[in-house]
Amino acid sequence: MPRPDVHTTPVGEHDLAELQALVLELQEGFNRKEARVLDRPFAADAVVVVPDGTMIRGWDELFAYHTARLATAASTWKMRSETLSVVMPGPDTAVVHFRQEMTTPNGDFANHGTAVAVRRDGRWWIGALHNTNVVE
């Protein structure tokens, strides 16, 4: 049985720019230590897996997690993000791969992330995100 291609919708320049902006919004919120900015692109029912494997369900739980994390363990960390690729399985669905370079007082490290973004009412929202540490 032949396997189908999934990512068949071309990524237009406008969509690419908006999806890259989502990744930069995560960076901005993290670096400003503002959970409202960090979590602004997430849908109400988003599912997020953070680098330690914790699964977070829903915006309220995500906001509580980030509020605590930004005030404690990550309070002195900085992030630099880069979008690695964007593919679209449909006109209103995108899979965004990105890299985060993290700078901390205890040493630097990197994360790779995969976000599933869905367009609703003309705006892109992150519906799912999985972030994992890169072993280098």
Side-chain angles (χ1 to χ4, degrees):
M1 171 188 222
R3 295 183 186 278
D5 287 332
V6 174
H7 308 293
T8 57
T9 302
V11 181
E13 288 182 33
H14 182 73
D15 287 330
L16 180 60
E18 288 184 350
L19 292 162
Q20 289 171 325
L22 288 182
V23 172
L24 292 177
E25 194 165 4
L26 301 177
Q27 174 184 293
E28 176 187 0
F30 185 92
N31 288 339
R32 288 172 38 187
K33 306 305 178 220
E34 294 181 22
R36 284 216 183 274
V37 175
L38 175 59
D39 295 340
R40 188 169 30 217
F42 289 91
D45 59 350
V47 177
V48 176
V49 178
V50 296
D52 72 4
T54 301
M55 181 179 288
I56 299 167
R57 294 183 179 278
W59 191 90
D60 292 334
E61 188 178 331
L62 182 64
F63 180 71
Y65 170 84
H66 278 145
T67 297
R69 186 93 172 136
L70 293 174
T72 57
S75 66
T76 59
W77 299 5
K78 291 293 182 189
M79 175 200 306
R80 186 178 59 78
S81 299
E82 175 187 7
T83 300
L84 301 175
S85 69
V86 176
V87 293
M88 294 180 69
D92 293 320
T93 306
V95 179
V96 181
H97 296 103
F98 57 91
R99 182 177 174 95
Q100 298 169 325
E101 297 290 337
M102 308 300 290
T103 302
T104 80
N106 298 322
D108 300 345
F109 65 93
N111 295 325
H112 272 182
T114 303
V116 177
V118 178
R119 184 177 10 230
R120 293 289 187 262
D121 297 321
R123 179 175 172 189
W124 287 103
W125 296 93
I126 297 173
L129 186 142
H130 187 126
N131 204 358
T132 190
N133 293 125
V134 175
V135 178
E136 299 188 77

